[in-house]
């Protein structure tokens, strides 16, 4: 369902759907059953893509790079106050496409192929780093955690303190297409796939074994700190899901189920990553993998991703109030 992005129209829709809206001086608090609303403006806000990096910096949402069909990379950087209206900040960033990027200690930090920082997204400074340099490549989540940067890779975890990298082993090496967030003082890792064939070859990528595990650590520099919270979570194994920590809950959204070679659009949530429950909604975005997901101002914002249909990669925008 696509709606106008006018705030009053959104409130009217929610009220008509049986939703109670309590309007405060600076915004609205919604008390209702979770549901998705499409708020894609009529005028495109950014080019179609999947696997774009999303982070929050200086109270703004930031969207960086991504993939286009035909392996055409995006290298732009955009910002938004509300997740709906986006402004181009830098059409051609100086770091590689798909570079891990996040906010850390008052700056934006990108790490591929070298570490670069910026305070505005326009001017970037390169930093020479030493130690166990991480492997080059994309699809590597990076998190700001306890004053350090943690880069999660299939070759181990790489911790950046100052300008020095340190490699530590992890229980989920040899794994791709997983997602991670910081939640409750721990790093949480979900899903993905091992780079080995399953006993029964999976229908999608036949040389991969997809997973529905959940791992957590409060000290990623200590390999023994990782705890497997779920070996076989309630949701089906999947690659490239949307994953976000939102108001005390973990949400996993959609993803690619390699065993059947299809995207899914269901939503699951958990307080701690151990036990999961499905979140029913009346409406939902088309099933997809590799979307960008934010938690912002009391709502979950999902945008872009790959639906494997039509143009495949998308630039639509959806919000869910919870």
């Amino acid at each position: 369902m696509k709606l106008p992005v006018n705030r009053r129209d959104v409130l009217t829709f929610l009220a008509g759907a049986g939703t109670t809206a309590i309007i405060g001086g600076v915004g609205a608090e919604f008390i209702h059953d979770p549901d998705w609303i499409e708020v894609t403006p009529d005028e495109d806000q950014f080019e179609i893509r999947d696997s774009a990096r999303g982070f929050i910096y200086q109270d703004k949402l930031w969207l960086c790079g991504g993939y286009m069909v035909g392996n055409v990379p995006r290298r732009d950087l955009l910002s938004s106050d509300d997740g709906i209206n986006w402004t181009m900040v830098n059409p051609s960033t100086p770091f590689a496409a798909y570079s891990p990027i996040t906010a850390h200690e008052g700056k934006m930090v990108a790490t591929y192929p070298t570490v670069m920082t910026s305070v505005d997204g326009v001017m970037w400074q390169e930093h020479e780093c030493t130690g166990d340099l991480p492997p080059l490549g994309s699809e590597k989540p990076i998190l700001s955690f306890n004053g350090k940067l943690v880069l999660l890779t299939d070759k181990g975890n790489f911790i950046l303190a100052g300008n020095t990298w340190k490699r530590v082993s992890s229980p989920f090496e040899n794994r791709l297409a997983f997602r991670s967030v910081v939640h409750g003082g721990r790093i949480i890792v979900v899903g993905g796939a091992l780079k080995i064939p399953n006993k029964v070859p999976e229908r999608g990528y036949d040389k991969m074994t997809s997973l529905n595990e959940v791992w957590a650590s409060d000290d990623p520099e200590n390999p023994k700190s990782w705890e497997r919270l779920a070996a076989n979570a309630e949701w089906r194994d999947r690659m490239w899901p949307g994953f976000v920590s939102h108001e005390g809950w973990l949400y996993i959204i959609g993803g690619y189920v390699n065993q059947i070679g299809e995207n899914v659009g269901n939503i699951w949530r958990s307080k701690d990553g151990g036990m999961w429950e499905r979140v029913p909604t009346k409406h939902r975005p088309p099933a997809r993998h590799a979307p960008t997901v934010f938690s912002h101002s009391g709502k979950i914002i999902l945008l872009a991703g790959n639906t494997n249909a039509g143009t495949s990669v998308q630039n639509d925008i959806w919000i869910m109030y919870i």
Side-chain angles (χ1 to χ4, degrees):
M1 174 175 291
K2 183 174 181 179
L3 298 176
V5 298
N6 179 278
R7 178 172 172 269
R8 183 176 62 183
D9 291 342
V10 172
L11 291 174
T12 300
F13 165 78
L14 291 173
T19 297
T20 301
I22 302 174
I23 304 175
V26 295
E29 177 183 358
F30 296 85
I31 304 172
H32 63 97
D33 293 332
D35 203 7
W36 288 103
I37 307 168
E38 185 179 7
V39 293
T40 310
D42 291 333
E43 183 176 343
D44 288 346
Q45 297 295 295
F46 48 84
E47 294 181 297
I48 57 177
R49 66 193 66 202
D50 71 28
S51 304
R53 304 304 177 108
F55 59 97
I56 295 176
Y57 171 69
Q58 294 185 342
D59 297 323
K60 291 180 179 288
L61 284 67
W62 294 78
L63 182 70
C64 185
Y67 166 86
M68 170 60 181
V69 172
N71 202 26
V72 178
R74 305 291 190 200
R75 291 180 55 190
D76 51 5
L77 179 66
L78 303 98
S79 71
S80 173
D81 292 319
D82 57 11
I84 300 172
N85 302 288
W86 290 83
T87 299
M88 180 65 71
V89 175
N90 192 331
S92 183
T93 55
F95 43 84
Y98 316 124
S99 172
I101 182 172
T102 193
H104 179 66
E105 297 189 334
K107 295 180 180 180
M108 304 180 206
V109 184
T111 62
Y112 174 45
T114 60
V115 173
M116 305 188 78
T117 61
S118 175
V119 295
D120 60 8
V122 178
M123 302 299 295
W124 289 83
Q125 179 181 0
E126 186 173 350
H127 300 268
E128 183 177 351
C129 294
T130 59
D132 305 319
L133 299 180
L136 299 180
S138 59
E139 285 286 336
K140 295 175 174 59
I142 191 167
L143 301 166
S144 177
F145 185 75
N146 289 347
K148 299 178 181 180
L149 284 171
V150 181
L151 182 66
L152 306 174
T153 86
D154 57 326
K155 305 296 183 183
N157 296 335
F158 291 79
I159 317 295
L160 181 63
N163 289 330
T164 302
W165 286 103
K166 175 184 177 182
R167 181 196 177 278
V168 294
S169 61
S170 78
F172 46 88
E173 294 179 19
N174 199 39
R175 183 177 312 201
L176 300 173
F178 59 88
R179 291 295 184 258
S180 60
V181 297
V182 175
H183 177 82
R186 297 195 291 180
I187 292 176
I188 310 291
V189 174
V190 298
L194 297 175
K195 296 185 289 184
I196 55 174
N198 206 336
K199 294 179 180 179
V200 177
E202 300 188 2
R203 185 175 299 177
Y205 299 92
D206 60 4
K207 292 181 173 55
M208 307 286 281
T209 298
S210 52
L211 302 163
N212 58 348
E213 292 182 333
V214 182
W215 290 85
S217 171
D218 60 2
D219 181 13
E221 291 190 81
N222 177 9
K224 295 182 179 180
S225 71
W226 287 96
E227 175 188 2
R228 189 163 66 175
L229 304 178
N232 186 21
E234 286 80 358
W235 38 269
R236 191 167 185 176
D237 51 276
R238 61 195 63 194
M239 302 161 63
W240 305 296
F243 190 42
V244 67
S245 173
H246 177 72
E247 298 191 349
W249 290 85
L250 292 163
Y251 288 84
I252 187 166
I253 304 168
Y256 181 77
V257 177
N258 197 48
Q259 287 193 2
I260 60 174
E262 295 179 5
N263 290 322
V264 292
N266 51 40
I267 308 165
W268 295 80
R269 73 174 187 173
S270 172
K271 276 288 189 181
D272 59 8
M275 299 294 294
W276 294 79
E277 62 185 27
R278 191 162 182 171
V279 180
T281 60
K282 184 177 180 181
H283 309 95
R284 70 182 186 187
R288 68 190 65 200
H289 67 269
T292 305
V293 187
F294 299 93
S295 170
H296 184 68
S297 298
K299 57 187 178 290
I300 292 175
I301 303 172
L302 178 145
L303 49 85
N306 194 320
T307 60
N308 291 129
T311 57
S312 187
V313 291
Q314 307 297 324
N315 62 353
D316 52 348
I317 305 171
W318 295 74
I319 60 175
M320 182 167 65
Y321 291 92
I322 298 178

